[in-house]
Amino acid sequence: MTPPLQHDPVAQAHQNWAGHGWGESADAMAAVTSLFRAQQILMARIDAVLRPLDLTFARFEMLTLLGFSRTGAMPLAKASSRLQVHPTSVTNTVERLGQAGLVERRPHPTDGRANLIAITPQGRDLALQAARELNREVFSDLGLPAGGLTDLNRILGALRFSAGDFSEPSPLMGGTGGGPAGADDADGGPEPGAPDVESPGSGGIGEAPGGGEAPPPGPAEAAGPATARAAAEVVRPKRRRLPRA
């Protein structure tokens, strides 16, 4: 593991951004760059937990989505909507989970042209094991101060709402608006979160069949050569794209 840098490269990028006359955008640039870096840090921790189970976060999400449903099954289009990704990405994930015996396809009871994706008993057991280990190793302590998670969920919820990610204010935003509150529903229950990412170009956080492509240089690189070198050195896990939540 590369030793931590003495100084924050994002703070240096912020200073360089302002020095180039872009002071009005410096705070937002630093926030976006920090989000990318935080995603890398958290995905490295998540990968360390899921890799021994032969899971990616995308496959874990699919298993959890199905496991939270009342019937343990749903149409591919419904899963695609819940995970907020293209059906092709869901198909790719389902194929890999099916090869491992974790999900299976079943005929749709009312639509002869469609199939349901159903979790198997083996898939339920593995999803439960993965969830317990993620709770213990990652979700129980993200390294934030007391109250930080509530503030973070409120801020990110507001960002997602303003971007059109959902149409009614979320309880995570601190209001009393609609949105999933944790109860199961007939077609899938609450979404586990970020999207499946098994297809190339999906912009997600799992592996792509072709290995994917590296994301474009971020603001830290654009801020200057010294900052670019510092930002490159601090990245320890393999760079992955921020999910389109």
Side-chain angles (χ1 to χ4, degrees):
M1 178 179 294
T2 305
L5 297 178
Q6 183 176 1
H7 303 290
D8 182 5
V10 178
Q12 182 63 54
H14 182 280
Q15 180 178 343
N16 290 343
W17 212 257
H20 278 72
W22 303 325
E24 71 282 357
S25 302
D27 286 349
M29 179 281 300
V32 170
T33 305
S34 290
L35 282 172
F36 270 88
R37 179 57 187 145
Q39 186 259 349
Q40 292 175 329
I41 293 170
L42 294 176
M43 281 313 305
R45 294 177 61 184
I46 290 171
D47 285 347
V49 172
L50 295 182
R51 191 179 301 112
L53 303 177
D54 197 24
L55 286 176
T56 62
F57 195 50
R59 297 175 207 173
F60 166 73
E61 284 188 300
M62 175 60 72
L63 291 176
T64 305
L65 179 67
L66 294 174
F68 279 177
S69 68
R70 292 176 182 172
T71 63
M74 67 176 60
L76 184 145
K78 187 73 170 182
S80 173
S81 174
R82 289 302 180 92
L83 295 174
Q84 297 178 289
V85 293
H86 194 276
T88 302
S89 298
V90 175
T91 298
N92 196 6
T93 298
V94 168
E95 288 177 354
R96 300 200 183 190
L97 290 172
Q99 292 169 1
L102 303 175
V103 301
E104 61 185 12
R105 292 179 183 269
R106 297 176 182 171
H108 196 288
T110 59
D111 186 350
R113 300 169 299 176
N115 290 321
L116 297 178
I117 307 164
I119 192 169
T120 66
Q122 181 183 353
R124 285 188 183 275
D125 291 342
L126 186 60
L128 181 58
Q129 179 184 356
R132 287 172 173 166
E133 295 190 16
L134 284 173
N135 283 336
R136 182 178 64 252
E137 300 295 335
V138 181
F139 301 148
S140 63
D141 182 11
L142 294 186
L144 294 176
L149 287 177
T150 299
D151 292 340
L152 182 62
N153 278 320
R154 175 178 51 80
I155 292 168
L156 294 181
L159 186 153
R160 293 165 50 221
F161 179 66
S162 68
D165 212 27
F166 44 90
S167 60
E168 296 182 359
S170 165
L172 292 177
M173 295 167 58
T176 58
D184 290 353
D185 65 22
D187 291 321
E191 301 89 327
D196 164 83
V197 289
E198 301 275 2
S199 69
S202 63
I205 52 182
E207 84 277 11
E213 63 181 34
E221 287 89 337
T227 303
R229 286 194 299 272
E233 291 171 0
V234 75
V235 174
R236 288 182 284 276
K238 181 178 178 182
R239 294 197 66 178
R240 300 171 185 263
R241 293 187 177 186
L242 190 68
R244 172 68 174 88

